[in-house]
Amino acid sequence: MVHTTQLKISSELADKIRAHGAQTYPHECCGALLGRDTEVADRQVYREIHGLHPLVNRRDDSPNNRFSVTSQDVLDAEKAARRQSLEVVGWYHSHPDHPARPSQYDRDHAWPWYSYIIVSVANRIPEEITSWRLTDDRTEFELEEICLQRVAS
């Protein structure tokens, strides 16, 4: 059965992802998305992001178009999520001077189920932000709708 997915994130957290991309330009930034899935009527699922766990791009050979994290980074992100009663539900990274679309490299290194937010950054200015999910058969990414949430102040 097909699940319709929607990613809910506050404007504040989306801005933090954009800022992280601008800060690390011309290299890719990366981090974990902390949140949870909620199923509502008719098997519709939405994923809500409640926090970020910024990581250091460990890639030293081509950090301008690749990122990597260590197993310890993943463990640290999972611990940070648990402390907030959340889960690691995805990952984010930037594409310096490239569109916010997954590359073949992204597909080769992604896992189904997780959300992958990509922000394009041109000349240190964040532009488009998108979210993607790898299909279960790992053949392609599907665009995930992002719903920016305004948080009451």
Side-chain angles (χ1 to χ4, degrees), residues 20-114:
H20 192 189
Q23 174 192 358
T24 61
Y25 183 89
H27 298 159
E28 288 194 5
C29 73
C30 57
L33 303 171
L34 313 181
R36 66 176 61 95
D37 285 354
T38 302
E39 191 169 319
V40 292
D42 299 327
R43 310 249 321 141
Q44 182 159 342
V45 175
Y46 70 86
R47 176 166 285 169
E48 196 159 10
I49 306 305
H50 294 283
L52 304 174
H53 186 77
L55 295 167
V56 172
N57 183 349
R58 306 288 182 187
R59 191 79 186 224
D60 45 9
D61 58 341
S62 56
N64 59 314
N65 67 347
R66 302 276 186 272
F67 79 92
S68 65
V69 297
T70 65
S71 55
Q72 186 61 51
D73 291 330
V74 174
L75 186 61
D76 290 345
E78 289 172 348
K79 286 179 182 175
R82 273 196 306 275
R83 280 194 299 272
Q84 299 174 57
S85 300
L86 299 171
E87 296 176 70
V88 173
V89 294
W91 307 92
Y92 72 86
H93 71 282
S94 61
H95 277 185
D97 300 315
H98 286 282
R101 304 277 177 281
S103 65
Q104 181 64 44
Y105 179 87
D106 291 337
R107 195 185 92 198
D108 291 344
H109 293 85
W111 301 297
W113 184 82
Y114 288 101

